[in-house]
Structure formats: C-alpha cells, structure tokens
Amino acid sequence: MRSKIALRAAALFTALLTSSLPGQAEDTGADCAVATASCLLEDAGQVAETLSRAGDRDEAAFAIATALSRMGRFDDALVKAKEISDTRVAADVLGEIAMGMAKAGAYARAHEIALDIPDAREDWIRVRTVEAVAAATAAGGNIDAAFDQVMAIDNPFRRSQAQAEIALAVAQTGNFRLAIGAASRIATDYWFSPDQHQLKIASGLVSRAGEFDQFWFYEALAHIARLQALEGDAASALQTAAAIPDIAGRSRAMARIGALQAAAGNIEAAFNTASRIEMAYGDLDVLIAIVDSRAHAGNFEAALDLAQQIAAAYADTGGLAAVALRRAEHGLFDDALETIALIPNPGNRTRALTGLAVAMVDAGRADEALRVTAMIYDNEDRGLAVRDVAIRIAVLGDVGRALSVADEHARPRDRGDLAVAIAVERAKAGDVHGAAATARAIEDDLFRAIALATIAPFAG
C-alpha cells in the first residue's frame, strides 16, 4: 500500500535525500509503556507539532485524521481535518472520513460530508466520495437513496459511472436480480429523461452520444456477469453477458467469464467462452488466463507453447509473464529467468522480475532477489521492486533485515515511505509494540508521525 503522501506529492521525499534508517531499534523515547492506540496518536500529534513546514503538518494531520476515522472516531477525525490548510489534502481526508462513515452505516451524514468536500476537479475527489457513499448505501439495502445521492454529480457521464457502482455494490451482496434492476436504471434515470438533450450538450457529450450514452449500463452488466461467474453460476453469467446489446460490452463480459473459468481450471469451458467473443482480439485475456491456469497446475510445456502463440499472433507477452511468475512460484528460478529473457515488453518484464524477486525472498534467497531487481531497467520500477522485496522480508518477520534493505538499496526519497510500510506490516502481523519501535526509529519527523498514526488502528 503506497502511503497517501507518496501518491499525492512525490516531491516531499526530497527531504529524505540525506537521511538513513537504522536497523532494529529499541522502543526508546516512548511516552507509553504499552503501545495503545491513544498513546500512538498522542505521540504522532506531539511529533507533528515540531514540524516547521505547513505542508508537512498537513500530511501528518491527514494521517492522524485518517487513523481516527478508521477507528470509528469520526467527530475527532473531523476536528483534526479542520487543521489542514491545503485544499487538496483536506479534500482527501474528508473523502476518507465520509467513506468510513458510510461503511459504518451513517449514510446520510456521510453524504453530507461528501457534498462539503472542497472542489478538486482534477481528480474528482468529491465525485469519487459521493460515488463510494452511494455504493455503501445501496449495499446496505437502500438503492433508491443511493440513486438520489448520485444526483449531486453534475456531469451526466460521470453520474452514470456512479450508478454503475451502485449496481455493482448490490451485485456484491449476491442479489443479482436487484443488481440487474439497478443497472437498468442507468438507461432510464437520465438518458431517457425529458431534459437529456440539454444536459448532453452541457456535458460536451452530445457529439459522442451514440458511443457513450449506454457505456456504463453495459459495463455494469458486464461486472454483474463476472460476479455471477465468480459465484459459480456460469450459465446465468453467460446469459447476462449475452443480453448486453453492444458488441464491445458483450465481449468484455464474455472475456471476464472465460478468465474466471480458466482460473478455476475449467480449460475446455474457457476455450468455449473465448470462441463466443465477437470483438477482434477480445479473447486475449481468456487465453492468457488459460496459460496461467496451465502453468499454475505445473503444465509448463503446454502453457509456454500457448504463450508463444499469443505473443506471435497478438504481439502480447502477458502469457510469457504468467509462465515466468508461475515458474518462480514453483521454485524454478532459472527456468523463470529463461522465460523472462523472451519478454521484450518493459511492463511485463518488470512484472515478472518483481514477482521472481519476491518468490526468492519466500525461499530465503533475499540477496539473489536484490540482484534480480537490479535487472529492471526503469529507475522508478526498480525502486518499487526493491520496496516489494523489503516489505516481503518484513512480512516474513525479519524487520531488521528489511530496514537494512531499505537503507542500502532503496532510493533515498523512498526510504521514509518504505519504513512506514514496514511498520504497518509489523502491526498487521499483530506485533503492534514492535511496529511502534520501528516507527519511533524513523529519523525523519514527518514519516515518524505518519507511521505512529497509521499503526494506531491496529492497536485496538
């Protein structure tokens, strides 16, 4: 999980260019003998008060408010959110709080907070939050209220996307009849209303109405079909997919069903579903899923043969990456490297090398794993792979070694974020006191505050 700070402002890491992380540290300087949630939040707040930059204080307040929200302390979270001066950060944290309230069943209040989020149109924070609250409302049994909530979304195309999320949320409860009914409202609530022409012009979609008007209706049905297949009802899934009156939407739905059939080991059914896909190259995902299923079962010869056919016919190396990852999973590291050598595509090559490195860590070969990450060409991708290796080492229990990897191999700008991630993984494993020790050992004040706040919800 990338921290919010890493996702929102990569430039913030430049403050860590000269910092380093110690290895295993004792829990010195702690104000509490036991790492309780209130203690961790108090310590995070005390560290945050020492921060000199307004942007750093905002980031620390975001972490503390988010932690309070995840602990169900929504009023306290809202008070903390008021300390944030940056509009974008404030929008982010109000979104977190509103979605937390919705998950807790406080749908109406969550919707009110979502509507009060400062406008951050670049990444639609308010819209995404309204959508998430509406989906939770629908999953809680009030579909009509959910559709009323998304009427606050001005852009009709984006509103249709939110309505699709409502239908998907209902489908995830297992009530597919109601989900399909909800999906049908995407076509009737807006697109066939008396003011549709005026709204289409206002949204800039009128020139592309034929292409986009029903997109989210079709996409909702495709998602529902996938969930039906996931529940083991392939017949109903195929029926839902076949009913989609659009070749692209129908093909997407069939592909998702076929991929699930392949993952379940039903190769013949997957091939049959792939043969029903009408779009050119629309069966690619199904074929790659078949490759992966064969490799997962240890049938590497047949998997590699199909993967090479896909690479030749579709110019896609996803099947080769799947074979390499499964070989690594089986401990066949040399064979995995041979397969990776066949992959020219940078994205698939990086994915395979990263998966191989993590598998090597699981096998107790961390040094070799780091040498594999060095084979990744792109600096950013290589940094992410090192991060995955360090976190995996921490998950397996060797926190000192994980911190050493971060100190010796991670990019300086990544070290603070990585230390937070290691502390969180330690807390997830149930070692909250050890996580607190890891957090307090972080030299950078901002990341120490973020780490202390982030692990607080795990302390109960």
Side-chain angles (χ1 to χ4, degrees):
M1 178 187 69
R2 299 298 302 274
S3 72
K4 284 287 183 181
I5 184 172
L7 291 172
R8 191 163 46 234
L12 201 57
F13 287 112
T14 56
L16 301 173
L17 286 175
T18 58
S19 70
S20 62
L21 292 172
Q24 188 74 24
E26 294 299 319
D27 192 4
T28 57
D31 294 332
C32 304
V34 180
T36 63
S38 58
C39 168
L40 292 166
L41 288 173
E42 182 181 349
D43 286 358
Q46 289 175 354
V47 175
E49 288 175 2
T50 69
L51 299 172
S52 58
R53 295 179 63 250
D56 290 354
R57 291 194 298 273
D58 284 345
E59 295 295 347
F62 174 94
I64 294 169
T66 299
L68 288 166
S69 177
R70 290 175 182 172
M71 294 162 59
R73 294 171 56 181
F74 300 117
D75 289 335
D76 292 337
L78 288 168
V79 170
K80 193 67 182 178
K82 291 180 180 178
E83 298 178 11
I84 297 173
S85 58
D86 185 274
T87 303
R88 177 67 61 83
V89 181
D92 276 341
V93 78
L94 288 173
E96 291 281 343
I97 295 169
M99 287 185 276
M101 285 182 173
K103 289 178 182 177
Y107 308 119
R109 192 176 180 204
H111 188 241
E112 289 175 6
I113 292 172
L115 295 180
D116 286 339
I117 291 175
D119 191 9
R121 196 169 299 278
E122 292 87 348
D123 51 7
W124 298 81
I125 296 170
R126 180 192 297 161
V127 171
R128 285 190 286 110
T129 305
V130 169
E131 177 182 87
V133 170
T137 302
N142 199 335
I143 299 173
D144 289 338
F147 272 89
D148 288 342
Q149 288 169 345
V150 299
M151 290 305 295
I153 299 174
D154 295 330
N155 184 287
F157 183 66
R158 191 59 182 80
R159 187 192 310 146
S160 294
Q161 183 178 354
Q163 290 171 332
E165 287 298 322
I166 292 173
L168 180 58
V170 176
Q172 287 170 335
T173 69
N175 194 328
F176 297 114
R177 182 185 62 80
L178 273 182
I180 292 171
S184 70
R185 291 178 61 168
I186 302 170
T188 58
D189 275 9
Y190 165 70
W191 299 112
F192 298 141
S193 63
D195 59 351
Q196 61 166 319
H197 182 66
Q198 176 187 354
L199 289 173
K200 282 180 187 175
I201 293 174
S203 70
L205 297 178
V206 68
S207 63
R208 298 185 293 173
E211 180 183 354
F212 285 125
D213 279 5
Q214 303 296 335
F215 176 84
W216 288 112
F217 171 47
Y218 303 145
E219 188 65 7
L221 291 176
H223 278 300
I224 292 169
R226 180 186 178 279
L227 288 173
Q228 287 175 312
L230 199 59
E231 289 290 314
D233 190 357
S236 294
L238 290 168
Q239 185 177 12
T240 301
I244 298 174
D246 169 73
I247 186 173
R250 199 160 55 244
S251 295
R252 287 195 303 274
M254 290 287 184
R256 291 167 190 171
I257 295 167
L260 287 173
Q261 290 171 322
N266 197 342
I267 303 299
E268 183 179 356
F271 272 123
N272 287 337
T273 300
S275 70
R276 298 177 61 179
I277 295 174
E278 301 158 79
M279 286 281 289
Y281 303 104
D283 58 352
L284 175 60
D285 288 346
V286 183
L287 295 176
I288 291 176
I290 291 170
V291 169
D292 184 63
S293 183
R294 284 175 170 174
H296 179 60
N299 190 357
F300 293 113
E301 184 177 352
L304 184 59
D305 179 63
L306 180 55
Q308 289 176 318
Q309 290 183 52
I310 293 170
Y314 292 77
D316 189 288
T317 56
L320 291 170
V323 173
L325 287 167
R326 291 300 185 184
R327 279 180 160 167
E329 186 182 87
H330 281 72
L332 303 172
F333 302 135
D334 290 339
D335 290 344
L337 281 170
E338 286 181 10
T339 307
I340 291 170
L342 302 174
I343 303 174
N345 177 273
N348 284 325
R349 178 184 170 84
T350 295
R351 182 165 64 90
L353 285 170
T354 302
L356 171 58
V358 172
M360 285 178 163
V361 172
D362 289 342
R365 296 163 68 170
D367 290 338
E368 291 177 68
L370 289 167
R371 286 195 288 272
V372 167
T373 64
M375 299 169 63
I376 297 173
Y377 302 134
D378 183 79
N379 224 14
E380 184 76 19
D381 290 338
R382 188 165 58 252
L384 292 173
V386 169
R387 183 182 191 280
D388 288 349
V389 166
I391 290 175
R392 190 61 186 170
I393 292 171
V395 168
L396 295 177
D398 193 348
V399 177
R401 172 67 167 142
L403 290 170
S404 295
V405 168
D407 191 31
E408 296 168 14
H409 298 279
R411 295 172 301 175
R413 68 184 179 124
D414 289 347
R415 290 174 186 164
D417 183 42
L418 182 48
V420 174
I422 291 170
V424 170
E425 290 300 334
R426 201 169 184 180
K428 282 181 181 178
D431 183 12
V432 178
H433 187 77
T438 300
R440 291 188 176 112
I442 299 173
E443 290 186 356
D444 183 270
D445 291 340
L446 171 59
F447 284 102
R448 185 163 69 256
I450 291 173
L452 289 166
T454 304
I455 64 177
F458 295 97

